[in-house]
Amino acid sequence: MTLGLLPLARGVRNSMTFQFDHFAAAVKAGGDITANDTMALRHWAWADGLLSQRDAQALFELNTHARSTDPEWIAFFTEAVCGYVIDGSEPKGYVSEKDALWVIDEIDKDGRVESAAELELLVRLAEKAVDLPNVLKYYALDQIEKIVLSGEGPTRAGNAVRGTVTSAEANLLRRLIFAAAGHGPAIVSRDEADMLVRIKDACLDGDNAAEWEKLFVQGVANHLQ
């Protein structure tokens, strides 16, 4: 089902409430989110230059219920929620403990990270924020570790193979471990190094991506140094 919201124009957010509610109901009924829909949602989200927690929560709900999404949606979803979490309150540039727990609660409503958009959001928060509470960073790392060990998750595209690190997972882990909002410039913590060792031990016999082998060597060496 293509919902086609492109005709929506800029305006006061309140004047768009009915259209957005109609769109959200259609998505919950099994609709897709296309590139055109995402363009319309961008106009809706920033019609008055602000995104409230209620708006951000509505985007989480769309992401959860959409039958399929366009790559433009992932870019918009992460940009919009990052903007709310990082710059929605003072001091700007930081993720508060409260907002970190809110993000975790939104993702955990269905028990785990279920989409590429949620994974990308977790990584982008770590990359963009000046500082990120450990509870959120380690939640993100834990989610990727679970995908590797179980062989199930948004990075697998239906190919469930336990004990193997894919290129996508290695790249996500690298971005998280060396993110700006970490323990310092390019510093790998003891907990992060321990996680790399756990994954290595679980994937010794796996057909691992070359990116993983490089990350493991660099990550552990960085910590030891």
Side-chain angles (χ1 to χ4, degrees), residues 40-57:
L41 286 165
R42 283 184 177 274
H43 294 324
W44 168 83
W46 289 299
D48 55 9
L50 300 171
L51 195 72
S52 68
Q53 182 171 329
R54 182 178 179 181
D55 298 331
Q57 189 168 9

Side-chain angles (χ1 to χ4, degrees), residues 7-17 19 40 42-50:
L8 289 181
R10 288 183 180 273
V12 179
R13 191 191 303 276
N14 288 340
S15 70
M16 293 179 151
T17 301
Q19 292 94 328
R42 283 184 177 274
H43 294 324
W44 168 83
W46 289 299
D48 55 9
L50 300 171

Side-chain angles (χ1 to χ4, degrees), residues 53-128:
Q53 182 171 329
R54 182 178 179 181
D55 298 331
Q57 189 168 9
L59 296 182
F60 266 109
E61 291 176 358
L62 288 179
N63 187 67
T64 296
H65 292 287
R67 182 179 60 181
S68 67
T69 59
D70 185 89
E72 289 293 324
W73 162 259
I74 297 177
F76 162 67
F77 174 78
T78 56
E79 180 183 355
V81 178
C82 277
Y84 164 70
V85 173
I86 296 173
D87 295 321
S89 59
E90 298 294 338
K92 295 185 184 303
Y94 292 78
V95 177
S96 68
E97 192 86 11
K98 178 181 177 182
D99 284 336
L101 293 174
W102 173 77
V103 170
I104 292 172
D105 286 343
E106 287 298 317
I107 293 176
D108 267 354
K109 282 182 177 179
D110 47 12
R112 62 176 183 175
V113 172
E114 289 283 2
S115 70
E118 290 175 341
L119 270 180
E120 182 64 19
L121 171 63
L122 292 170
V123 175
R124 289 297 289 154
L125 284 170
E127 290 176 329
K128 293 188 69 173

